[in-house]
Amino acid sequence: MSKRILVLLAASLAAIGIVSVGSAADPPFPATKVGDLFLSVQTVDSSGAMITQVKPGDTVIFRAYSLDPKTKKFLTAPEKRYFYVELPGVANAKFAYAPSGPGATLLYPWTASWTVPSNYQLGTVKFRALVRPKQSPNRGSFSQTPVASSQLTVTNTPQNSPGTGSTESAAMATAPIGLYVDSVNGTRPAGAAPRPVGCTQTNVFHRGEQFVLRAWGFQFSDGAVLDMTNTVDAHFSIAGAPDTVLNWGSHGPTGAKVMFWSNAWNIPTTYPLGNVVVKVAFKTLSGASATFDYPITIIP
């Protein structure tokens, strides 16, 4: 693609609200091309509440889904050869196909459980998930977005989820785009006190807090990462609020920044309580489109 075309494309994307605030030198997360298999993993408790910080003795549930970029089909139980979480210093945690199990959703039907040992080293847990189906040499892997505050961390003083989570989601048979979606607590809430630690993963929010959605993904037609050169629409929709355009920008520590999509929504202090499905939508220049139902819970 010529430099002139890239400039014109960037201008047109900016006109509809898709803007970049990062450096061209910052790489997209997790890569510029999709691997053999697309893999998405979240860390939650048994209620489905997303968690980042845990203390020794706590149990973490890893929930996941995997997609084949060629067939666009989701991995199911009979197709698994191996699927596990690699954890530093301890035995691997194996995934089981349990769509109705603790912490699972219809979209994230695979779960693996890990109880943090009482003597486990404090700090960030650099876990990695690995998957391979039967009758195929293809492999997939997943690592956390490299933003320290939102990575799984063992601490003696964890910032616990403020409430129970939701496991509402829609199941999909196939998808032309692979998406990873999560959310963190914003550091500048308009109607509530900031949490002690900002930008930790959570899907349970108080009224008045700042909901920040993060996303990255790939289109399977050519395996390319979703970025400003191939994406014409990226937004999320919430009932009772205007659509929020997702911005392509860099995040993380200086010298190790990566690019992904994000934006914030300040939750009104009068917003209805209960479970809310955030609908995330992407559309590419080639015409591929995908929606992702992301459940959150609003509490007083």
Side-chain angles (χ1 to χ4, degrees):
M1 184 178 288
S2 72
K3 182 177 181 181
R4 175 178 171 78
I5 293 175
L6 282 174
V7 170
L8 290 174
L9 177 60
S12 64
L13 291 175
I16 61 173
I18 300 178
V19 295
S20 171
V21 294
S23 164
D26 297 333
F29 187 81
T32 56
K33 289 282 186 179
V34 70
D36 293 335
L37 293 175
F38 178 85
L39 180 57
S40 177
V41 180
Q42 296 178 340
T43 53
V44 301
D45 64 18
S46 59
S47 76
M50 193 172 290
I51 53 175
T52 297
Q53 299 182 347
V54 293
K55 67 180 184 297
D58 285 349
T59 297
V60 180
I61 294 175
F62 301 87
R63 64 184 182 194
Y65 79 84
S66 182
L67 262 168
D68 187 319
K70 293 183 178 179
T71 65
K72 303 177 180 61
K73 292 184 177 180
F74 289 80
L75 182 73
T76 59
E79 299 160 344
K80 182 198 76 168
R81 180 171 181 178
Y82 64 70
F83 199 174
Y84 60 89
V85 182
E86 192 176 68
L87 293 153
V90 295
N92 298 334
K94 295 183 179 180
F95 278 101
Y97 191 76
S100 59
T105 72
L106 291 177
L107 179 58
Y108 281 84
W110 293 91
T111 58
S113 180
W114 175 52
T115 299
V116 183
S118 60
N119 61 346
Y120 199 79
Q121 182 176 351
L122 303 181
T124 303
V125 181
K126 302 284 188 180
F127 74 83
R128 184 174 64 147
L130 299 166
V131 62
R132 181 180 177 182
K134 294 178 181 177
Q135 312 300 327
S136 172
N138 293 340
R139 296 173 173 84
S141 66
F142 174 92
S143 296
Q144 302 172 89
T145 306
V147 178
S149 60
S150 64
Q151 293 180 313
L152 183 62
T153 302
V154 177
T155 172
N156 287 324
T157 56
Q159 180 173 274
N160 297 319
S161 172
T164 57
S166 168
T167 55
E168 295 180 12
S169 75
M172 293 190 290
T174 63
I177 290 175
L179 287 176
Y180 170 85
V181 177
D182 69 17
S183 56
V184 299
N185 61 296
T187 57
R188 296 182 295 277
R195 297 192 190 186
V197 181
C199 293
T200 57
Q201 289 192 56
T202 181
N203 54 3
V204 182
F205 295 86
H206 290 287
R207 283 171 164 168
E209 285 194 311
Q210 189 176 48
F211 161 83
V212 179
L213 186 133
R214 311 187 307 175
W216 50 262
F218 300 89
Q219 62 175 358
F220 292 153
S221 59
D222 60 2
V225 67
L226 299 175
D227 61 19
M228 286 186 64
T229 67
N230 59 17
T231 304
V232 295
D233 180 44
H235 72 273
F236 65 81
S237 303
I238 298 174
D243 288 353
T244 300
V245 172
L246 289 168
N247 298 322
W248 174 250
S250 61
H251 307 267
T254 300
K257 290 183 179 293
V258 292
M259 305 282 287
F260 55 82
W261 300 89
S262 67
N263 209 344
W265 170 56
N266 286 303
I267 304 169
T269 57
T270 57
Y271 198 81
L273 302 177
N275 296 332
V276 178
V277 175
V278 181
K279 292 191 173 293
V280 185
F282 277 82
K283 185 176 182 180
T284 69
L285 280 171
S286 65
S289 62
T291 58
F292 188 106
D293 285 352
Y294 181 76
I296 65 173
T297 302
I298 309 296
I299 61 177

